[in-house]
């Protein structure tokens, strides 16, 4: 299929494609999204086809105002309103009871729907101009790494979608926090840039879904999407645990030609072999911003194996490690 590349100044064309039941890729502050009219079941099916996404994995519905949340859910409750007041628009998705007119294809048959009010001006303008909520998963082939730049998304989805909006690089770089607010206690189903600590400041009872806590017996995935292979580049990913100076000296003598080490800026200049920079370790939001882009770049450069230093699993570090544990399929190296 012919894919039209659309400038952010020409969103009328993108909105028309959405209104005609086509798919459009657009930038958000988290990752690029692959959108279609959330009220049109045929359009929604095109998303699943373009991504090769399993039909039992529900989509997030994107809105451009708080009042639009009322249209897609049947119970915009007080807990949800409190979260919305503090963090919307922004990188968070609320799981709420679904309104009857949202097709089953969107919610994968669940009685709930994930709703996100993005902060990105292009995403918001597109939804407003289309005049309909837009369901959108991350814009990547299922199982691969989410795209955070126009060039990455174009390489992966050109020819598979109706249009691609040529936007800027995504600010946060990892997908939104998914928070179940259907019960009295808010439960994080997928950690993101709005962290557990930030949510607990306004709703102290907020907790992580048991499957996200190391050492628990919970095997049931937090949300349907969490059971699938995810965030996998072509290269093998290995998480490395240990002190940074030990890691550096180990890889100075153990890194093959086809392998690459991801490093923080503090150590970057001291390492002489294949390397990519994660930003400073004193601000892990830089690592979140870079990580998906670097995984894709490592594939493009033909590396077979990527070593990534593990980070402390708190704050945004928890969200980064949630993605990297899936990328690595549990492969670790302790030094
Ligand atoms: O930042 C984001 O959330 C991006 C941008 C494009 O908005 N979207 C995104 O969508 O990451 P996707 O489809 O790649 O991930 C959505 C996650 C999946 O794990 C899915 O299973 C879960 O949210 N989810 C969606 N609706 C749900 C529901 N009703 N109940 C539980 N989990 C749900
Ligand atoms: Mg995704």
């Amino acid at each position: 299929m012919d894919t039209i590349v659309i400038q952010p100044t020409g969103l009328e064309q993108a909105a028309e494609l959405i209104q005609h039941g086509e798919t459009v890729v657009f930038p958000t502050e988290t990752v690029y999204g692959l959108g279609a009219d959330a009220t049109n079941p045929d359009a929604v099916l095109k998303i699943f086809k373009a991504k090769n996404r399993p039909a039992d994995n529900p989509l997030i519905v994107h809105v451009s105002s708080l009042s639009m949340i009322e249209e897609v859910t049947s119970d915009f409750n007080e807990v949800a309103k409190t979260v919305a007041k503090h963090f919307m628009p922004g990188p968070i998705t609320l799981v709420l009871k679904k309104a009857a007119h949202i097709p089953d294809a969107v919610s994968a048959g669940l009685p709930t729907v994930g709703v996100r009010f993005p902060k990105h001006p292009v995403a918001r303008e597109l939804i407003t101009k289309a005049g309909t909520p837009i369901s959108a998963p991350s814009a990547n082939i299922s199982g691969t790494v989410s795209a955070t730049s126009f060039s990455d998304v174009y390489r992966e989805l050109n020819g598979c979608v109706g249009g691609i909006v040529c936007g800027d690089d995504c600010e946060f770089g990892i997908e939104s926090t998914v928070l179940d607010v259907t019960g009295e206690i808010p439960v994080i189903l997928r950690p993101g840039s709005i962290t557990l600590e930030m949510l607990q400041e306004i709703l102290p009872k907020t907790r992580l879904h048991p499957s996200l806590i190391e050492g628990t017996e919970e095997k049931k995935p937090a949300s349907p999407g969490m059971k699938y292979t995810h965030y996998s580049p072509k290269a093998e990913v290995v998480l490395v645990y240990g002190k940074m100076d030990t890691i550096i000296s180990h890889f100075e003598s153990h890194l093959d030609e086809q392998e690459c080490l991801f490093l923080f800026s503090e150590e970057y200049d001291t390492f002489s072999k294949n390397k990519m920079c994660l930003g400073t370790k004193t601000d892990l939001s830089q690592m979140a911003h870079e990580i998906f882009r670097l995984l894709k770049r490592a594939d493009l450069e033909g590396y077979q194996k990527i070593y990534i230093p593990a980070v402390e699993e708190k704050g945004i570090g928890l969200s980064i490690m949630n993605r990297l544990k899936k990328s690595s399929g549990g492969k670790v190296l302790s030094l």
Side-chain angles (χ1 to χ4, degrees):
M1 103 194 267
D2 283 338
T3 298
I4 308 168
V5 172
I6 300 161
Q7 295 305 317
T9 46
L11 290 178
E12 288 75 16
Q13 198 180 10
E16 266 170 39
L17 285 171
I18 295 281
Q19 286 163 348
H20 287 111
E22 291 303 329
T23 49
V24 173
V25 168
F26 60 97
T28 83
E29 69 276 20
T30 56
V31 299
Y32 272 72
L34 198 179
D37 181 350
T39 64
N40 176 343
D42 293 335
V44 169
L45 288 180
K46 290 183 185 172
I47 297 177
F48 285 89
K49 195 163 164 247
K51 277 193 66 132
N52 195 19
R53 181 178 176 103
D56 67 349
N57 192 1
L59 305 177
I60 293 172
V61 173
H62 295 67
V63 298
S64 57
S65 66
L66 289 178
S67 58
M68 224 167 151
I69 297 180
E70 311 260 10
E71 289 169 32
V72 299
T73 70
S74 60
D75 179 24
F76 190 21
N77 60 49
E78 286 311 311
V79 175
K81 282 184 178 146
T82 304
V83 179
K85 185 169 154 247
H86 285 83
F87 298 115
M88 285 184 162
I92 190 159
T93 296
L94 297 178
V95 171
L96 286 159
K97 276 192 196 137
K98 172 177 101 67
H101 69 104
I102 297 298
D104 280 343
V106 170
S107 63
L110 294 174
T112 55
V113 63
V115 189
R116 182 155 117 71
F117 176 10
K119 188 176 80 169
H120 198 294
V122 171
R124 287 167 68 171
E125 192 183 330
L126 176 62
I127 300 161
T128 306
K129 286 209 155 82
T132 181
I134 294 181
S135 50
S138 52
N140 55 287
I141 303 297
S142 276
T144 66
V145 179
S146 304
T148 56
S149 71
F150 170 73
S151 57
D152 282 342
V153 92
Y154 182 81
R155 201 177 302 111
E156 196 153 327
L157 291 176
N158 182 34
C160 307
V161 291
I164 303 181
V165 179
C166 172
D168 49 4
D169 291 355
C170 301
E171 177 187 349
F172 291 100
I174 57 170
E175 307 86 351
S176 62
T177 304
V178 177
L179 186 71
D180 183 343
V181 282
T182 54
E184 215 174 283
I185 297 178
V187 181
I188 294 180
L189 305 181
R190 178 177 71 182
S193 294
I194 305 295
T195 62
L196 174 66
E197 294 82 352
M198 287 159 78
L199 286 163
Q200 282 177 338
E201 268 183 38
I202 54 156
L203 292 163
K205 286 185 182 160
T206 307
R207 61 177 180 85
L208 293 172
H209 187 274
S211 64
L212 299 174
I213 302 167
E214 201 89 344
T216 54
E217 293 299 305
E218 182 66 57
K219 292 283 180 287
K220 196 172 177 289
S223 66
M226 296 298 248
K227 70 176 178 281
Y228 294 107
T229 313
H230 254 94
Y231 317 112
S232 304
K234 292 192 197 82
E236 189 182 339
V237 174
V238 179
L239 272 172
V240 188
Y241 289 80
K243 288 210 181 86
M244 261 342 275
D245 48 355
T246 316
I247 293 175
I248 299 275
S249 57
H250 172 84
F251 284 112
E252 277 295 353
S253 49
H254 287 91
L255 200 70
D256 290 348
E257 197 66 359
Q258 307 291 313
E259 299 178 343
C260 178
L261 176 64
F262 285 8
L263 278 175
F264 292 103
S265 51
E266 284 83 354
E267 283 86 23
Y268 194 75
D269 289 339
T270 67
F271 190 67
S272 66
K273 301 233 164 131
N274 300 330
K275 58 186 175 180
M276 291 190 194
C277 188
L278 295 165
T280 173
K281 58 184 162 197
T282 60
D283 177 11
L284 291 182
S285 66
Q286 291 186 13
M287 180 176 183
H289 176 80
E290 288 296 299
I291 192 70
F292 288 163
R293 189 180 68 81
L294 294 185
L295 288 172
K296 285 187 183 284
R297 200 179 116 199
D299 271 350
L300 277 180
E301 295 188 11
Y303 289 116
Q304 304 293 308
K305 211 169 190 173
I306 308 163
Y307 291 99
I308 308 177
V311 295
E312 196 185 349
E313 292 182 48
K314 71 169 206 230
I316 188 72
L318 177 79
S319 315
I320 295 169
M321 288 295 286
N322 169 266
R323 309 306 193 268
L324 290 180
K325 283 179 178 175
K326 290 178 197 294
S327 297
S328 63
K331 273 175 259 120
V332 299
L333 175 66
S334 297
L335 294 174

